Coordinates of all heavy atoms in Angstrom, one line a residue:
T243 N 12.8 17.6 73.9 CA 13.1 17.5 75.3 C 11.9 17.0 76.1 O 10.7 17.3 75.7 CB 13.6 18.8 75.9 OG1 13.9 18.6 77.3 CG2 12.6 19.9 75.8
S244 N 12.1 16.3 77.2 CA 10.9 15.9 78.0 C 11.1 16.6 79.4 O 11.1 15.9 80.4 CB 10.9 14.4 78.1 OG 12.1 13.9 78.6
A245 N 11.2 17.9 79.3 CA 11.4 18.7 80.6 C 10.0 19.0 81.2 O 9.2 18.1 81.3 CB 12.2 19.9 80.3
K246 N 9.7 20.2 81.5 CA 8.5 20.6 82.1 C 7.6 21.5 81.3 O 7.0 22.4 81.8 CB 8.8 21.2 83.5 CG 9.3 20.2 84.5 CD 9.6 20.8 85.8 CE 10.8 21.7 85.8 NZ 11.2 22.1 87.2
F247 N 7.7 21.3 80.0 CA 6.9 22.2 79.0 C 5.5 21.6 78.8 O 5.1 21.2 77.7 CB 7.6 22.3 77.7 CG 9.0 22.9 77.9 CD1 10.2 22.1 77.8 CD2 9.2 24.3 78.2 CE1 11.4 22.7 77.9 CE2 10.5 24.8 78.3 CZ 11.6 24.0 78.2
D248 N 4.7 21.5 79.9 CA 3.4 20.8 79.9 C 2.5 21.5 79.0 O 1.5 20.9 78.5 CB 2.8 20.8 81.3 CG 3.7 19.9 82.3 OD1 4.7 19.4 81.9 OD2 3.3 19.9 83.5
F249 N 2.7 22.8 78.7 CA 1.7 23.5 77.8 C 1.8 23.2 76.4 O 0.8 23.4 75.7 CB 2.0 25.0 78.0 CG 3.3 25.5 77.3 CD1 3.2 26.0 76.0 CD2 4.5 25.3 77.8 CE1 4.3 26.4 75.3 CE2 5.7 25.7 77.2 CZ 5.6 26.2 75.9
F250 N 2.9 22.6 75.9 CA 3.2 22.6 74.5 C 2.3 21.7 73.7 O 1.7 22.1 72.7 CB 4.6 22.3 74.2 CG 5.0 22.5 72.7 CD1 5.3 23.8 72.3 CD2 5.0 21.4 71.8 CE1 5.6 24.0 70.9 CE2 5.3 21.6 70.5 CZ 5.6 22.9 70.0
I251 N 2.2 20.4 74.1 CA 1.4 19.4 73.4 C -0.1 19.9 73.3 O -0.7 19.9 72.3 CB 1.5 18.0 73.9 CG1 3.0 17.5 73.6 CG2 0.5 17.1 73.3 CD1 3.3 16.2 74.2
P252 N -0.7 20.3 74.5 CA -2.1 20.7 74.4 C -2.3 22.0 73.5 O -3.3 22.1 72.8 CB -2.4 21.1 75.9 CG -1.5 20.2 76.7 CD -0.2 20.2 75.8
L253 N -1.3 22.9 73.5 CA -1.3 24.1 72.6 C -1.4 23.7 71.2 O -2.2 24.2 70.4 CB -0.2 25.0 73.0 CG -0.1 26.3 72.2 CD1 0.5 27.4 73.1 CD2 0.6 26.3 70.9
V254 N -0.5 22.8 70.8 CA -0.4 22.4 69.4 C -1.7 21.7 68.9 O -2.2 22.0 67.8 CB 0.8 21.4 69.1 CG1 0.8 20.9 67.7 CG2 2.1 22.2 69.3
K255 N -2.3 20.9 69.7 CA -3.5 20.3 69.4 C -4.7 21.3 69.4 O -5.6 21.2 68.5 CB -3.8 19.2 70.4 CG -2.9 18.0 70.3 CD -3.2 16.9 71.3 CE -2.2 15.7 71.1 NZ -2.5 14.6 72.1
L256 N -4.7 22.2 70.3 CA -5.8 23.2 70.3 C -5.7 24.1 69.1 O -6.7 24.5 68.5 CB -5.7 24.0 71.6 CG -6.6 25.2 71.8 CD1 -8.1 24.8 71.7 CD2 -6.4 26.0 73.1
W257 N -4.5 24.6 68.8 CA -4.3 25.5 67.7 C -4.6 24.9 66.3 O -5.2 25.5 65.4 CB -2.9 26.1 67.7 CG -2.7 27.4 67.0 CD1 -3.7 28.2 66.4 CD2 -1.5 28.1 66.8 NE1 -3.2 29.3 65.9 CE2 -1.9 29.3 66.1 CE3 -0.2 27.8 67.1 CZ2 -0.9 30.3 65.7 CZ3 0.8 28.8 66.7 CH2 0.4 30.0 66.0
N258 N -4.3 23.6 66.2 CA -4.6 22.8 65.0 C -4.2 23.5 63.7 O -4.9 23.5 62.7 CB -6.2 22.6 65.0 CG -6.6 21.5 64.0 OD1 -5.8 20.6 63.7 ND2 -7.8 21.7 63.4
R259 N -2.9 23.9 63.7 CA -2.4 24.5 62.5 C -2.2 23.5 61.3 O -2.0 22.3 61.6 CB -1.1 25.2 62.8 CG -1.3 26.6 63.5 CD 0.0 27.2 63.9 NE 1.0 27.3 62.7 CZ 1.0 28.2 61.8 NH1 0.0 29.2 61.9 NH2 1.9 28.3 60.9
K260 N -2.1 24.0 60.1 CA -2.0 23.1 59.0 C -0.6 23.0 58.4 O -0.4 22.4 57.3 CB -3.0 23.5 57.9 CG -4.4 23.2 58.2 CD -5.4 23.5 57.1 CE -6.8 23.2 57.4 NZ -7.7 23.4 56.3
D261 N 0.4 23.7 59.0 CA 1.8 23.5 58.5 C 2.3 22.2 58.9 O 1.9 21.6 59.9 CB 2.6 24.6 59.2 CG 2.8 24.5 60.7 OD1 1.8 24.8 61.4 OD2 3.8 24.0 61.1
K262 N 3.2 21.7 58.1 CA 3.7 20.3 58.3 C 4.5 20.1 59.6 O 4.5 19.0 60.2 CB 4.5 19.9 57.1 CG 3.7 19.6 55.8 CD 4.6 19.0 54.7 CE 3.7 18.7 53.5 NZ 4.5 18.2 52.4
Q263 N 5.2 21.1 60.0 CA 5.9 21.0 61.3 C 4.9 20.6 62.4 O 5.2 19.8 63.2 CB 6.6 22.4 61.6 CG 7.7 22.7 60.7 CD 9.1 22.3 61.2 OE1 9.2 21.5 62.2 NE2 10.1 22.7 60.6
S264 N 3.8 21.2 62.5 CA 2.8 20.9 63.5 C 2.1 19.6 63.2 O 1.9 18.8 64.1 CB 1.7 22.0 63.5 OG 2.3 23.3 63.8
I265 N 1.7 19.4 62.0 CA 1.0 18.1 61.7 C 1.8 16.9 61.9 O 1.3 15.9 62.6 CB 0.5 18.1 60.1 CG1 -0.4 19.3 59.9 CG2 -0.1 16.8 59.7 CD1 -0.7 19.5 58.4
Y266 N 3.0 16.9 61.5 CA 3.9 15.7 61.7 C 4.2 15.5 63.2 O 4.4 14.4 63.6 CB 5.1 15.9 60.9 CG 5.0 15.5 59.4 CD1 3.8 15.9 58.7 CD2 5.9 14.8 58.7 CE1 3.6 15.6 57.4 CE2 5.8 14.4 57.4 CZ 4.6 14.8 56.7 OH 4.4 14.5 55.4
F267 N 4.4 16.6 63.9 CA 4.6 16.5 65.4 C 3.5 15.7 66.1 O 3.7 14.9 66.9 CB 4.8 17.9 66.0 CG 5.0 17.8 67.5 CD1 6.2 17.4 68.0 CD2 4.0 18.1 68.4 CE1 6.4 17.3 69.4 CE2 4.2 18.0 69.8 CZ 5.4 17.6 70.3
N268 N 2.3 16.0 65.6 CA 1.1 15.3 66.2 C 1.1 13.8 65.9 O 0.3 13.1 66.5 CB -0.2 16.0 65.8 CG -0.5 17.3 66.5 OD1 -0.1 17.5 67.7 ND2 -1.1 18.2 65.8
Q269 N 1.9 13.4 65.0 CA 1.9 12.0 64.6 C 2.8 11.2 65.6 O 2.8 9.9 65.6 CB 2.4 11.7 63.2 CG 1.7 12.5 62.1 CD 0.2 12.3 62.3 OE1 -0.3 11.2 62.2 NE2 -0.5 13.4 62.4
I270 N 3.6 11.9 66.4 CA 4.5 11.2 67.4 C 3.6 10.9 68.6 O 3.2 11.8 69.3 CB 5.7 12.1 67.8 CG1 6.4 12.5 66.5 CG2 6.6 11.3 68.7 CD1 7.5 13.5 66.7
K271 N 3.4 9.6 68.9 CA 2.5 9.2 70.0 C 3.3 8.9 71.3 O 4.5 8.6 71.2 CB 1.7 8.1 69.6 CG 0.9 8.3 68.3 CD 0.0 9.5 68.3 CE -0.8 9.7 67.0 NZ -1.6 10.9 67.0
D272 N 2.6 8.9 72.4 CA 3.2 8.5 73.7 C 4.4 9.2 74.1 O 5.3 8.6 74.7 CB 3.5 6.9 73.6 CG 2.2 6.1 73.3 OD1 1.2 6.5 73.8 OD2 2.4 5.1 72.5

Side-chain angles (χ1 to χ4, degrees):
T243 181
S244 55
K246 291 180 284 188
F247 302 105
D248 297 0
F249 74 94
F250 190 80
I251 292 177
L253 183 148
V254 172
K255 291 180 178 179
L256 174 60
W257 203 6
N258 194 30
R259 282 175 54 82
K260 291 186 177 181
D261 65 287
K262 285 186 178 179
Q263 292 267 8
S264 300
I265 296 170
Y266 280 39
F267 176 75
N268 283 329
Q269 306 310 304
I270 306 174
K271 308 302 180 183
D272 301 321

